[in-house]
């Protein structure tokens, strides 16, 4: 079971690294799209400014008394050189200055955006490679985990049955308390909490019972998460058909109007920090070097999507979770 726990932890970190790479890649792709649009606009503006400059140079060349204009036109080796020569010919008007300024501005903008696009494309390519590497890592770790689980399949099935029975009891108890609270005080917010429950699938018994209810400001996201107890873990999942840990947190908060990224690492940068002794239901709790995340429900327990082969469940911040606890954020 310790080996399984270690593999689960390693796998979860790989999944969340994959999710973080996906968040970064989506951001880079959005920037690429915006830059392509702006580059196209800048090139069109440059083309119009160059046309205006060309017309002005032709006018200078063909007008009387402008013998030095031939030097300006024929002596230039590039657009930049032509603009510089024309600018220093000591006979430009205010209109000429405007045309020159437009050509220079749009020429510089096109060059700068082409450089940005080159860098963004390189960054996107690197992120694609990173995603592929993380995906290969996940697949390899899944294979190792399946092999290990197969070797202890009988014992795992027994332990899972015990855990499922405990989770069902917790769910019934919590639902009954919530219903009772609503009947007794319809105007009051749901404030039930869940007693700590063993996070191990090793069959240790649950202690305590459902206690006082959570504050109304935090109960909504807890209620949302409760609806998906029993939903299977799916790496990369962020819908009722399957969740990974950060996908569950992102989805639950989206239902109450709070937008979060699909990555435990990125989620840790959101909201404000909360000390462990000040945790309230609805706070987001992080473990294992930010490789795992869940939603605190009170009483030292939290709802989360643990790992491949498991389901969304209620666990206690004790044992392994206590030893790998990183911190919490209030969104």
């Amino acid at each position: 079971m310790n080996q399984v726990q270690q593999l689960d932890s390693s796998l979860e970190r790989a999944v969340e690294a994959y999710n973080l790479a996906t968040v970064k890649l989506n951001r880079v792709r959005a920037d690429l799209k915006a830059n392509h649009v702006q580059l196209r606009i800048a090139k069109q503006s440059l083309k119009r400014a160059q046309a205006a400059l060309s017309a002005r140079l032709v006018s200078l060349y063909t007008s009387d008394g402008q013998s030095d204009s031939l030097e300006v036109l024929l002596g230039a080796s590039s657009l930049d050189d032509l603009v510089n020569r024309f600018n220093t010919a000591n006979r430009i008007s205010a209109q000429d200055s405007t045309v020159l300024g437009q050509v220079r501005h749009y020429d510089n903008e096109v060059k700068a955006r082409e450089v940005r696009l080159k860098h963004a494309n390189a960054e996107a390519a690197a992120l694609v490679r990173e995603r592929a590497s993380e995906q290969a890592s996940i697949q390899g770790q899944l294979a190792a985990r399946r092999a290990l689980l197969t070797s202890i399949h009988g014992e795992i099935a027994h332990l899972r049955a015990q855990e499922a029975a405990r989770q069902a009891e917790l769910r019934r108890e919590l639902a009954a308390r919530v219903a009772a609270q609503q009947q007794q005080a319809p105007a009051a917010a749901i404030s039930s909490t869940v007693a700590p429950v063993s996070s191990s699938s090793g069959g240790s018994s649950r202690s305590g019972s459902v206690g006082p209810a959570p504050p109304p400001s935090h109960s909504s996201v807890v209620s949302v998460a409760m609806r998906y107890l029993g939903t299977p873990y799916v790496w990369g999942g962020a819908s009722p058909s399957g969740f990974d840990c950060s996908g569950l947190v992102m989805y639950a908060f989206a239902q109450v109007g709070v937008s979060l990224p699909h990555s435990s690492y990125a989620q840790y940068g959101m909201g404000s920090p909360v000390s462990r002794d000040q945790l309230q239901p609805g706070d987001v709790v992080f473990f294992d070097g930010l490789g795992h995340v869940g939603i605190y429900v009170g009483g030292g327990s939290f709802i989360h999507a643990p790992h491949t082969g498991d389901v969304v469940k209620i666990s206690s911040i004790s044992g392994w979770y206590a030893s790998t606890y990183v911190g919490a954020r209030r969104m």
Side-chain angles (χ1 to χ4, degrees), residues 25-77:
L25 181 58
N26 290 338
R27 191 180 303 130
V28 169
R29 283 175 172 168
D31 187 52
L32 272 171
K33 184 177 180 180
N35 264 298
H36 274 298
V37 172
Q38 294 302 319
L39 178 60
R40 184 169 65 252
I41 294 173
K43 284 184 174 180
Q44 292 170 349
S45 299
L46 176 60
K47 186 175 181 180
R48 288 193 295 269
Q50 287 174 327
L53 176 62
S54 297
R56 180 60 179 153
L57 290 173
V58 169
S59 174
L60 284 173
Y61 178 65
T62 57
S63 62
D64 294 333
Q66 301 294 339
S67 59
D68 60 341
S69 60
L70 188 60
E71 294 180 16
V72 173
L73 292 173
L74 300 182
S77 59

Side-chain angles (χ1 to χ4, degrees), residues 1-12 141 144-153 156 159-160 201 306-310 320:
M1 292 308 299
N2 286 335
Q3 288 178 302
V4 170
Q5 181 67 73
Q6 290 170 3
L7 275 175
D8 285 337
S9 173
S10 180
L11 177 59
E12 193 72 5
Q141 291 181 66
R145 188 177 187 281
R146 290 191 186 106
L148 182 56
L149 289 177
T150 298
S151 69
I152 53 174
H153 183 269
I156 288 292
L159 296 174
R160 282 180 176 167
S201 47
H307 50 70
T308 299
D310 211 332
W320 183 83

